[in-house]
Amino acid sequence: MKNIRDTNIPHYNLTVPPVFSMSSRLRNASSRDITNSVTHFILLGFPSSPEGQLLYFGVFSVTYMLTVMGNAIIVCAVWWDQRLHTPMYIFLGNFSFLEICYVTTTVPNMLINFLSTSKSISFVSCFAQFYFFFSLGCDEGFYLCIMAFDRYLAICRPLHYPLIMTKELYTGLVIFGWSGGFILFVTPIVLISRLPYCGPNIINHFICDPVPLMMLSCSEDTTTQFIYSTFNVIFMIGTFLFVLCSYLLVILAVLRMPSAASKRKAFSTCASHLTVVVLFFGSVMVMYVNPGSEHPVKMQKIVTLFYSVITPLCNPLIYSLRNKEMMAALRKIFGSEQITHKL
């Protein structure tokens, strides 16, 4: 472990890189034999003493268990309580299950690395983590759009909502929410994984992030850099603007409601959704949609930790504590009343 820490580690900027960001480092690539000789990568994670690594292991183990348990409770509540078998809660149940999958792509490997001295991950495992983590991250963005669209229809078009949000439509939206990210991220994963890697193989991060992976490549591929940067900007800004416009229309419709009780209920639901939107998109955009910024490595890890670990931990609290129907379902689950699941 001492040799790893003493290695001269380049400063990785995890923002979307302009095409020239790697040119100075890769100008010497012509003197190398451009072959893919890297069989594994080293994820430095959070370097510290052995005692510090054990402390990190304990903290993130508890965080991971609470995240899985909290989101699993919401999934169970939606599944068991017939009153929650509506499009809004079906989307919320799928979103919570998505969060479980999302944190599972990175946290278990991070926990293993806290107890490991080599901190290595194979080439295939690294790119598998990269693909699943960012595909599920895209799916999370899609689900936030779907949930915003559902609230727009329910509040702005209440009379037409049952006719528009049919079982066929919300089933299709659920399928799209799960598959969209996996389809879209095929191109970036194929392009980046086919770059030649001949060393070094040290990533100063706790996940296999695409930007430091591209920086470790022995050859400069401006096409891959451009495609990845364009993909990030279009996806994140596009989904964020869609959500923002949807809730802007919702807020305008709520303000026109004559009943104060209806206003409070609508604002309570939208406030929960908007909180999650701000937490997720805010932290992601800080890292990936600001090419000119220079984030210290420590700050890069903290921000990544925020949207990949902390946000999924907070979501169950955000959605349950501000929702009377969800709180009633949770009381039913943990109360003395028996739940009968009707097939």
Side-chain angles (χ1 to χ4, degrees), residues 222-247:
T222 56
T223 302
T224 298
Q225 298 169 36
F226 177 76
I227 291 174
Y228 176 73
S229 300
T230 304
F231 174 85
N232 273 347
V233 171
I234 292 176
F235 170 77
M236 281 183 271
I237 293 181
T239 51
F240 180 70
L241 289 178
F242 180 89
V243 172
L244 203 62
C245 291
S246 298
Y247 282 115

Side-chain angles (χ1 to χ4, degrees), residues 43 56-57 60-61 63-65 67-68 99-116 120-121 129 133 206-207 305 308-309:
L43 294 174
Y56 285 139
F57 177 82
F60 286 106
S61 295
T63 302
Y64 178 65
M65 288 188 291
T67 301
V68 172
E99 293 283 50
I100 295 174
C101 299
Y102 185 56
V103 297
T104 303
T105 59
T106 57
V107 177
N109 183 75
M110 182 169 60
L111 294 176
I112 293 173
N113 278 351
F114 285 139
L115 303 179
S116 170
S120 66
I121 182 171
Q129 183 193 72
F133 178 71
F206 61 90
I207 63 171
L305 200 64
S308 64
V309 178

